[in-house]
Amino acid sequence: MKKLLSIVVLGLLLSGNAYAAENYNFICRMENEYGKLENEKYLFELSQKEVIIDGENYKLSSKPEISNSLISFKFNFKMRAWKKMLSTNATEEEKKDNVYYTMVDEAYKINRNTGQMVEKTAYTNWKNEDRLSLYYYKCEIF
């Protein structure tokens, strides 16, 4: 009986994070505000340390959380943005004053059973106002 119990406990310990070493690839299409899928597809390649989205590498801020039903991961990056649209004849000084940089935090959660994915994007705009956006996708994991 002790032997059987020790085998069960050891098996549970070893299988506790069975999905941790796996890499995941998925192709996703964004849903528009009416719930219709857009035509453009995005390729996600997820490993333990980074995610590659359509060829752009992003270092993960922590290991992905992976279970039977959910994959979630986070990363952040510095983004160059513009305060407003300028006319084509704007001066160099106007163009320079129009640029600002901000840190963007992105968090993704994908339901492995349905393929539904939510992207949460948070950043601070040039007026120092916090912004949050949610985007929805339908994905195929392969």
Side-chain angles (χ1 to χ4, degrees):
M1 187 67 171
K2 280 185 179 180
K3 203 176 218 182
L4 179 61
L5 182 59
S6 63
I7 290 171
V8 170
V9 169
L10 184 60
L12 289 172
L13 287 173
L14 294 175
S15 67
N17 203 356
Y19 300 101
E22 294 184 36
N23 294 335
Y24 293 90
N25 296 319
F26 36 101
I27 294 178
C28 302
R29 292 172 58 195
M30 187 181 284
E31 293 180 10
N32 66 21
E33 62 269 20
Y34 306 108
K36 301 283 185 193
L37 294 176
E38 300 288 339
N39 289 329
E40 187 172 2
K41 295 180 180 179
Y42 301 92
L43 173 63
F44 289 77
E45 301 170 78
L46 177 64
S47 69
Q48 289 298 299
K49 295 183 180 181
E50 70 178 356
V51 62
I52 303 169
I53 304 173
D54 282 344
E56 290 279 331
N57 292 49
Y58 299 97
K59 183 179 176 186
L60 298 179
S61 40
S62 60
K63 285 186 178 181
E65 295 178 22
I66 300 169
S67 70
N68 286 332
S69 60
L70 191 69
I71 299 172
S72 61
F73 57 96
K74 299 176 186 177
F75 63 89
N76 53 44
F77 61 95
K78 188 174 185 178
M79 179 179 77
R80 179 180 174 184
W82 293 265
K83 297 175 187 176
K84 60 184 177 181
M85 296 297 293
L86 294 177
S87 67
T88 54
N89 59 354
T91 66
E92 288 303 314
E93 189 64 29
E94 288 173 319
K95 290 178 185 176
K96 182 179 175 185
D97 289 340
N98 194 44
V99 174
Y100 75 99
Y101 293 88
T102 187
M103 287 302 295
V104 178
D105 294 312
E106 296 211 346
Y108 292 81
K109 288 188 180 191
I110 181 169
N111 182 313
R112 295 178 69 177
N113 300 318
T114 65
Q116 288 296 124
M117 182 169 75
V118 177
E119 170 191 345
K120 182 172 84 171
T121 302
Y123 66 95
T124 303
N125 71 10
W126 66 278
K127 295 178 182 177
N128 211 27
E129 300 166 331
D130 292 333
R131 296 290 184 210
L132 179 67
S133 300
L134 295 175
Y135 302 97
Y136 300 91
Y137 299 81
K138 181 69 175 175
C139 304
E140 295 177 38
I141 301 172
F142 58 94

